[in-house]
Amino acid sequence: MLSHASKYAILSTLFLAAHSSADKKISVKQIAESIDVPSPFLAKLFQQLVRGKVISSTKGPNGGFYLTKENGQKTVCDIIENIDGLNKLNQCFLGLHECDSSNPCPVHFIVEPFKKSILGKFRDKTIMEFSEEIKSNGRVLTLKDIDTSLKK
């Protein structure tokens, strides 16, 4: 359902939420190394997220990326919308070009409630709420040390 670009953008934005502030900016290279994503690709994603006002940046020797309070009120849907557009979430699970309730694919009615549920959760929780939940549950924001067969 989500592209690698959206997954990396969500992961890196949540990393920023947990580790950055206006006083503590983080470079793309540091984030890429911390969460094990390609740095050049992440830099392009961050350009899109800055343009979409999902994250903030400052140039110069003390520059880097961070989240403001306003950025923290954005949602995971805002991230996906800036990277892939929300149409990606509405595409057919089996990849058929025409699939809706009047012309459903074989799994449409199984997948549709799941898609609506996850989209609702992505709309209802802010980035900061997700970040706080991650911290309080001791979850890890990295792809490092995960079985490489799961990274595909």
Side-chain angles (χ1 to χ4, degrees):
M1 271 178 48
L2 294 177
S3 69
H4 284 297
S6 279
K7 291 175 189 177
Y8 290 160
I10 293 166
L11 187 60
S12 58
T13 302
L14 291 173
F15 184 88
L16 280 175
H19 300 288
S20 74
S21 68
D23 297 327
K24 183 183 175 193
K25 297 164 185 76
I26 305 174
S27 72
V28 168
K29 184 178 177 188
Q30 288 173 300
I31 297 165
E33 288 174 359
S34 295
I35 61 175
D36 197 28
V37 300
S39 185
F41 188 51
L42 189 58
K44 288 181 183 181
L45 295 176
F46 272 16
Q47 288 174 354
Q48 287 178 255
L49 294 174
V50 168
R51 277 193 302 269
K53 298 183 181 354
V54 176
I55 65 174
S56 295
S57 68
T58 303
K59 293 182 181 181
N62 296 320
F65 295 90
Y66 62 100
L67 294 186
T68 63
K69 286 184 181 181
E70 292 81 17
N71 299 141
Q73 295 307 303
K74 298 284 187 172
T75 66
V76 171
C77 265
D78 293 319
I79 298 170
I80 296 167
E81 188 170 17
N82 274 274
I83 301 301
D84 286 333
L86 293 181
N87 286 340
K88 184 83 172 170
L89 291 173
N90 294 321
Q91 291 176 345
C92 175
F93 187 76
L94 296 180
L96 302 178
H97 292 286
E98 293 191 28
C99 175
D100 57 32
S101 55
S102 62
N103 185 28
C105 73
V107 296
H108 179 82
F109 293 109
I110 296 168
V111 175
E112 195 63 21
F114 166 74
K115 286 172 36 176
K116 284 183 181 179
S117 173
I118 197 162
L119 191 58
K121 288 181 170 110
F122 284 171
R123 278 193 181 116
D124 293 343
K125 254 188 203 176
T126 67
I127 291 167
M128 289 312 292
E129 288 171 333
F130 267 111
S131 178
E132 290 302 320
E133 187 177 291
I134 290 164
K135 285 180 199 173
S136 67
N137 291 323
R139 295 192 184 122
V140 179
L141 288 173
T142 183
L143 298 176
K144 287 182 179 181
D145 302 323
I146 294 175
D147 183 357
T148 54
S149 65
L150 299 176
K151 284 176 130 180
K152 294 179 184 171

